[in-house]
Structures are given as C-alpha cells and as structure tokens.
Amino acid sequence: MATYEYRCPRDGDFEVRLPLGEAGATLSCPACQGRAARVWSAPGLARTPRALGAALDGAARSAETPEVVSRIPGGRPAVAAPAHPARARLPRL
Ligand SMILES: [Zn+2]
C-alpha cells in the first residue's frame, strides 16, 4: 500500500491509500464526487514553514556576518526618563 495525494479543485487536497501502481491520474473526490487530479510530491519530505525558514536563514546569515545595529531591532522605542525636580537646581553648562 502507498499513500497517493489528489487535489480536488473545489475541496482541496486529500490522500488515499492504494496498492502500488493502482493510482490513476484522476480519482473521484470523496466529498463532492468530482474529478480530482493526482498530485506528485516528494515522499517523506516535510516542507519547512516559510516563517521558520526565514528565521533559520537569518540565524545562519547572522552567524557568518553579524549585522551591526545601532538600536534594538523590533524593540520598543527608547523612553526618556522623567525629569527629576532636583535637576532644575543643577548648574547649566
Ligand atoms: Zn471535491
């Protein structure tokens, strides 16, 4: 038995388990009975989510050539400390 993937234009992808070599180019969709086309994909390979891939690429790039920054990336803007009343009595420069 092997797992085959089909794509219905209306209901999306679904998988069926069939004996080897018995998967046709099309199959009827279990939801709408419409014609679903076989999808060819690499077996046993999981796709990395786009956000995770970008984060891993960024981490690898940063390990090789770290980016020089002048502020915290994505951090909150710096908030000035509230003025203390005693500072008004300090001599001006
Ligand atoms: Zn369908």
Side-chain angles (χ1 to χ4, degrees), residues 39-82:
V39 176
W40 295 88
S41 59
L45 297 179
R47 286 191 226 156
T48 304
R50 185 182 301 258
L52 176 59
L56 292 172
D57 288 346
R61 200 170 36 251
S62 176
E64 287 292 320
T65 54
E67 189 176 331
V68 177
V69 296
S70 58
R71 61 181 175 80
I72 300 172
R76 293 180 300 172
V79 177

Side-chain angles (χ1 to χ4, degrees), residues 8 10-12 29-34:
C8 172
R10 189 172 130 190
D11 301 307
C29 171
C32 69
Q33 309 306 319

Side-chain angles (χ1 to χ4, degrees), residues 13 15-16 19 21 23 31 35 54 59 62 73-75 82 88-89 93:
D13 294 356
E15 294 180 344
V16 293
R35 179 175 277 229
S62 176
R89 295 191 302 270
L93 296 177

